[in-house]
Amino acid sequence: MIRLHHVPESRSMRVLWLLHELGLPFEVIEWPFDKTLRSPEFLALNPVGRVPALELNGRNLFESGAMLEILCEGFDTMGMWRPIGHAERADWLVWVHFAETISQHSAALTQQHIALYDDAMRSPTVMQIEAKRIAKCYGAMEQVLSQQDYLLSDFSAADIAVGQAVYMAKHFAPLDEFAGVTAWWERITERAGYKASLPEGPRLYAKDFYPAWT
Ligand SMILES: N[C@@H](CCC(=O)N[C@@H](CS)C(=O)NCC(=O)O)C(=O)O
């Protein structure tokens, strides 16, 4: 039994996207992005009150990167995984975990622009620095994606992990200056698995873009 605990547009979206690509039967429980994630019920699923949480055959798992690895290892028949011994194994791991390098900046910016409830708490300096650090990440991706269609030789869970990280990051740092990343983004978001992971109801990001304050 696979049950994903999900907040639309958050990091749990990367697990949802992978589950759609893998074509597995699964259940989704949606949670609001609020103090409910600190309830005893949710803390039993993820001890730090974060999404995603994943119930997998009687175990409660946390950490989205680990979930991608575990799901690919256990269930991939669609070319999403690069197993031990595969020539692209190291690069697959690097990119699956690079998603967190991007997401830490998006998380800081989500806090700055959305979660803080009083303007006096927001910092233009933090907003500017974190947006620049996202652009630096796009630059690293551009080195690869200006040369090839996907992060590896073909679409994989690495594109899902980084693609979902870019989904969040695009709300704070535009892709415009990165032609290879932009073409990749258009390519991967054509996929049915991506489209199926998009929110149908309440959204975390009310706006498409949140410019840094100056
Ligand atoms: N490294 C963790 C990070 C999880 C995380 O921080 N998720 C965010 C949503 S993107 C969250 O639940 N935030 C709620 C909070 O900080 O209270 C993972 O990838 O699963």
Side-chain angles (χ1 to χ4, degrees):
M1 184 278 288
I2 302 176
R3 183 181 293 137
L4 175 65
H5 295 268
H6 174 54
V7 169
E9 302 187 293
S10 78
R11 287 173 177 95
S12 53
M13 181 182 167
R14 63 186 61 149
V15 182
L16 182 59
W17 183 354
L18 177 66
L19 285 166
H20 283 296
E21 296 279 353
L22 293 175
L24 298 170
F26 63 90
E27 188 185 333
V28 178
I29 309 283
E30 278 196 18
W31 293 77
F33 191 67
D34 62 19
K35 286 184 181 160
T36 319
L37 297 179
R38 300 293 185 274
S39 64
E41 187 190 2
F42 191 80
L43 289 171
L45 297 162
N46 182 321
V48 285
R50 311 284 176 88
V51 281
L54 187 72
E55 295 178 68
L56 178 64
N57 298 334
R59 284 204 60 181
N60 293 344
L61 302 173
F62 49 100
E63 286 301 327
S64 61
M67 291 172 199
L68 296 196
E69 286 198 51
I70 291 163
L71 289 170
C72 283
E73 190 177 322
F75 306 101
D76 179 45
T77 55
M78 307 301 284
M80 297 298 116
W81 193 34
R82 298 296 183 273
I84 293 170
H86 193 288
E88 292 184 328
R89 169 72 175 174
D91 287 333
W92 186 83
L93 285 170
V94 165
W95 288 116
V96 164
H97 292 281
F98 185 74
E100 270 309 284
T101 296
I102 306 175
S103 297
Q104 64 179 315
H105 306 307
S106 303
L109 286 165
T110 302
Q111 183 180 65
Q112 283 290 318
H113 287 275
I114 296 166
L116 295 177
Y117 53 83
D118 185 339
D119 281 355
M121 296 168 155
R122 303 181 214 275
S123 161
T125 308
V126 170
M127 289 177 181
Q128 289 161 24
I129 289 173
E130 293 295 313
K132 279 188 185 145
R133 283 156 72 83
I134 289 175
K136 198 83 180 159
C137 295
Y138 294 162
M141 297 166 61
E142 183 69 18
Q143 288 178 26
V144 173
L145 293 168
S146 57
Q147 307 294 321
Q148 57 193 50
D149 286 353
Y150 299 104
L151 292 167
L152 306 179
S153 60
D154 199 359
F155 184 82
S156 75
D159 298 291
I160 295 174
V162 178
Q164 191 282 328
V166 168
Y167 177 93
M168 292 168 68
K170 275 173 89 274
H171 291 88
F172 309 107
L175 292 180
D176 306 350
E177 290 173 27
F178 305 93
V181 178
T182 300
W184 164 84
W185 172 255
E186 285 166 6
R187 199 171 292 123
I188 64 171
T189 54
E190 279 302 308
R191 298 182 70 88
Y194 167 78
K195 290 178 180 165
S197 72
L198 290 171
E200 286 175 359
R203 300 191 61 164
L204 179 54
Y205 300 108
K207 295 195 273 184
D208 288 339
F209 187 66
Y210 296 81
W213 291 12
T214 52

